Amino acid sequence: MSAATDTREPQLGWNTRRRWVAPRPPAAQTAAELRERLLGPLDRWREWPRLERTLYWAIPLACAVVAGVLRFVNLSAPHALMFDETYYVKDAFSYLHFGYEKNWSDNANPLFIKGDFSGIQSSPEYVVHPPLGKWMIALGMWLFGPSSSFGWRFSSALFGTLSVALVAWAAYKLFRSAVLAGTAGLLLAVDGHHITMSRIGILDIFLSFWLLAAFCALLKDREDGRRRLATRLAASALPNGRIPATALAAGPWLGVRWWRIAAGVCIGCAVGVKWSGLAYVLAFGLLTVLWDASARRTAGIRAWLPAAVVRDAPLAFVSIVIVGGAVYLSTWTGWFLSSDAYFRHWAEANPDPTWSWVPASLRSLAHYHLEAYAFHTGLTESHPYAASPWSWLVQGRPTSFYYVEPSGCGADRCSSAILSVGNPLIWWAGTIALAIGILLWAGRRDWRVGGALCGVAAGYLPWFMYPERTMFTFYAVSFEPFFILVLVYVLGHILGRPTDPPWRRQAGFLGLGVYLVLVVVVSAYFMPIWTAETITYLDWRMHMWMPSWV
């Protein structure tokens, strides 16, 4: 399968040059020309060749199978509360029984892993993350029992696997290439950072999933918006098929966009897992309006930017911000329905005539949020695996989730570890690709890499605003799918275009193939320290490629 893109988008290649502000394209003369310009010759999926239609679904499914094997096999090991599982798994148990978090005794962990839940107390617990991620963990505990370590990690593995399918689908949508879609899915499927985050019952993999799902919905909305624009402009065509100049002054309203509403729902869910998803509200909101402006400009609409601001941005705001906000608020339903959750009756105990018109429950929740925000911004406690964002992309200080020295490896000293280190060949190459992708976007304004870079920037750059805060490398999983898409975009340039000479294409396929084989080999080598396999201590040390990993 070739790495070609559809004809309506710029080809992957190095020889396309544009001025920073290219001239506005001339207005489309006929409805047929307009549709071709906005949507390409093969508009709908059903019009694609049969093989391409099959691969469109088969590749994400195949990648999901690979990812599922790596995430579900031996998921219950170790049977222990690792790292922040000590908070979120027990909170999930509390959600199942009470709908909100309750405190636990100091010795609750050893009892909990034995299936003894007597450590739960009657008083509410103060938590600083929204509820949705813990409800998602609770799903697996409801299905398989709260004493099952497989159960409390099931949802992480499930949504990690679904993320791999989504990133392969997104790559196919972006690049119209089976090779690049399979590459994106494979890279995310075998990366250790994503694997470890999918095999532990903490929140970040859910945040990553919902952000990626929102991006996929926006990709569908971009296509839908262009189709609506073409259809509504075509409806104004004269009997000879020509589009009158009056219709191209500002262009039509595009109406309610259901895929963009779906994106708003997903973003609301992301923020309902962790507040770090808030940056994506702004990033994705601007991204979708800029995509609309680009569509209007491509159609030859004269006032393309003002029209996008006036006619597209308001409904985008409703879809992303209002819908997302309503979804976020709904994740607190258990807190609203409770009678003694933390800060539930703060407003009644602290009346304020200025805000008396606001329902007491909402004022209490607002106070809760202010307190939680103060906690997050003031979190400066030292931690042996704290890592500055400067080191995340090169995996300078990965997080050790689990380390014990058991017996049974045939040596005097054994190790069993879970280290959330990413595959170095993916992350080091991805860091280089990120720099190249920024340069390529600056030179060409290719919307495909622009969208992926937007996802990376929204998940990565805000952390630099809080340099004193305690942070960990595993936070990078939120933007890892977009990081992979940028890497695949650059690999597409190495692969070449269908119009390149055969020798160039063969060299590109060979280079990409060698890289993927090396990635798989390195992942197989690191798998023992991603899955708590018992190995010799010497073997464990051999896996510590950088001193900062220990």
Side-chain angles (χ1 to χ4, degrees):
M1 191 68 187
S2 71
T5 59
D6 54 11
T7 57
R8 69 180 181 273
E9 307 298 353
Q11 294 286 338
L12 288 173
W14 293 91
N15 59 353
T16 303
R17 295 189 179 186
R18 296 183 180 180
R19 288 180 290 173
W20 177 250
V21 180
R24 178 174 58 86
Q29 297 299 310
T30 66
E33 179 188 345
L34 174 66
R35 196 172 189 86
E36 172 84 11
R37 183 185 292 183
L38 286 171
L39 298 166
L42 300 178
D43 176 7
R44 298 182 183 276
W45 171 75
R46 295 179 182 85
E47 299 173 353
W48 296 3
R50 178 177 296 179
L51 177 60
E52 194 170 352
R53 292 201 311 267
T54 302
L55 292 174
Y56 181 69
W57 296 110
I59 288 176
L61 289 175
C63 293
V65 170
V66 174
V69 170
L70 297 177
R71 284 153 180 76
F72 279 101
V73 171
N74 205 27
L75 180 63
S76 59
H79 186 66
L81 290 171
M82 300 185 293
F83 204 71
D84 282 351
E85 283 186 339
T86 186
Y87 305 115
Y88 305 133
V89 170
K90 290 185 296 187
D91 287 346
F93 176 89
S94 184
Y95 273 37
L96 283 175
H97 291 82
F98 305 102
Y100 64 97
E101 302 91 340
K102 286 201 170 187
N103 272 314
W104 292 78
S105 62
D106 293 337
N107 65 336
N109 281 13
L111 296 174
F112 191 97
I113 62 177
K114 295 177 182 178
D116 182 349
F117 310 115
S118 60
I120 195 166
Q121 300 177 335
S122 59
S123 58
E125 181 185 6
Y126 174 58
V127 297
V128 293
H129 289 300
L132 183 58
K134 288 161 279 188
W135 277 114
M136 295 173 77
I137 294 173
L139 170 65
M141 300 173 72
W142 176 72
L143 289 173
F144 300 98
S147 60
S148 167
S149 52
F150 180 91
W152 69 61
R153 296 171 191 149
F154 169 80
S155 293
S156 296
L158 174 63
F159 285 92
T161 299
L162 292 175
S163 297
V164 171
L166 285 181
V167 83
W169 181 89
Y172 212 131
K173 266 297 186 188
L174 289 169
F175 310 126
R176 281 291 294 274
S177 166
V179 173
L180 297 183
T183 297
L186 179 64
L187 290 177
L188 192 63
V190 304
D191 179 59
H193 186 244
H194 201 268
I195 289 173
T196 55
M197 297 306 297
S198 302
R199 293 175 60 92
I200 183 172
I202 62 177
L203 306 180
D204 299 79
I205 197 67
F206 305 124
L207 171 65
S208 181
F209 169 81
W210 288 116
L211 294 173
L212 178 58
F215 182 74
C216 290
L218 288 180
L219 288 178
K220 289 290 292 182
D221 173 72
R222 181 183 183 275
E223 182 180 84
D224 177 59
R226 286 180 165 236
R227 185 173 293 118
R228 291 184 184 212
L229 181 61
T231 300
R232 297 187 183 196
L233 284 176
S236 66
L238 301 172
N240 62 3
R242 299 177 70 86
I243 299 173
T246 53
L248 294 170
W253 294 86
L254 300 182
V256 177
R257 309 260 286 273
W258 298 108
W259 280 110
R260 191 150 62 187
I261 290 175
V265 171
C266 292
I267 292 176
C269 289
V271 180
V273 174
K274 268 192 167 185
W275 286 354
S276 48
L278 279 169
Y280 286 84
V281 176
L282 175 61
F284 282 173
L286 290 176
L287 182 66
T288 186
V289 173
L290 289 175
W291 281 352
D292 284 343
S294 175
R296 292 178 181 273
R297 187 172 182 273
T298 300
I301 292 171
R302 291 187 292 276
W304 53 274
L305 185 57
V309 171
V310 173
R311 300 195 171 186
D312 298 321
L315 286 179
F317 179 85
V318 172
S319 301
I320 300 296
V321 179
I322 304 301
V323 171
V327 170
Y328 171 77
L329 200 62
S330 72
T331 66
W332 288 87
T333 299
W335 185 89
F336 281 116
L337 295 178
S338 70
S339 60
D340 61 340
Y342 209 89
F343 282 138
R344 179 62 184 83
H345 296 289
W346 178 87
E348 290 93 325
N350 297 271
D352 185 347
T354 305
W355 297 100
S356 59
W357 56 276
V358 178
S361 58
L362 290 180
R363 286 191 290 128
S364 296
L365 186 61
H367 176 74
Y368 198 154
H369 280 58
L370 290 174
E371 291 292 318
Y373 178 78
F375 171 86
H376 284 300
T377 55
L379 182 61
T380 57
E381 295 180 5
S382 61
H383 191 283
Y385 286 95
S388 166
W390 292 106
S391 69
W392 292 0
L393 298 183
V394 295
Q395 297 294 290
R397 183 61 170 166
T399 309
S400 176
F401 289 141
Y402 178 79
Y403 181 85
V404 296
E405 294 193 2
S407 59
C409 67
D412 294 336
R413 192 175 180 186
C414 307
S415 295
S416 177
I418 295 180
L419 183 70
S420 68
V421 62
N423 185 310
L425 295 188
I426 294 176
W427 283 87
W428 296 347
T431 302
I432 297 172
L434 195 63
I436 295 173
I438 292 171
L439 293 176
L440 289 175
W441 178 83
R444 302 177 185 178
R445 278 83 64 208
D446 189 335
W447 71 274
R448 298 166 299 176
V449 72
L453 288 170
C454 178
V456 174
Y460 185 42
L461 297 182
W463 292 106
F464 291 93
M465 298 170 59
Y466 307 98
E468 303 301 323
R469 189 190 188 279
T470 305
M471 291 175 278
F472 301 93
T473 298
F474 68 81
Y475 293 173
V477 77
S478 66
F479 63 81
E480 182 175 356
F482 308 103
F483 182 79
I484 293 292
L485 289 174
V486 174
L487 172 57
V488 169
Y489 176 82
V490 174
L491 291 174
H493 287 77
I494 296 173
L495 191 60
R497 299 173 297 175
T499 55
D500 288 337
W503 66 266
R504 170 66 181 84
R505 293 286 287 168
Q506 291 169 4
F509 273 104
L510 178 62
L512 179 61
V514 169
Y515 173 71
L516 293 179
V517 168
L518 290 175
V519 164
V520 171
V521 169
V522 170
S523 287
Y525 175 73
F526 278 101
M527 193 61 67
I529 66 167
W530 294 338
T531 57
E533 183 180 331
T534 299
I535 57 178
T536 66
Y537 178 80
L538 178 61
D539 194 10
W540 173 78
R541 290 291 304 185
M542 292 293 290
H543 285 80
M544 300 297 105
W545 284 9
M546 296 173 64
S548 60
W549 292 3
V550 179

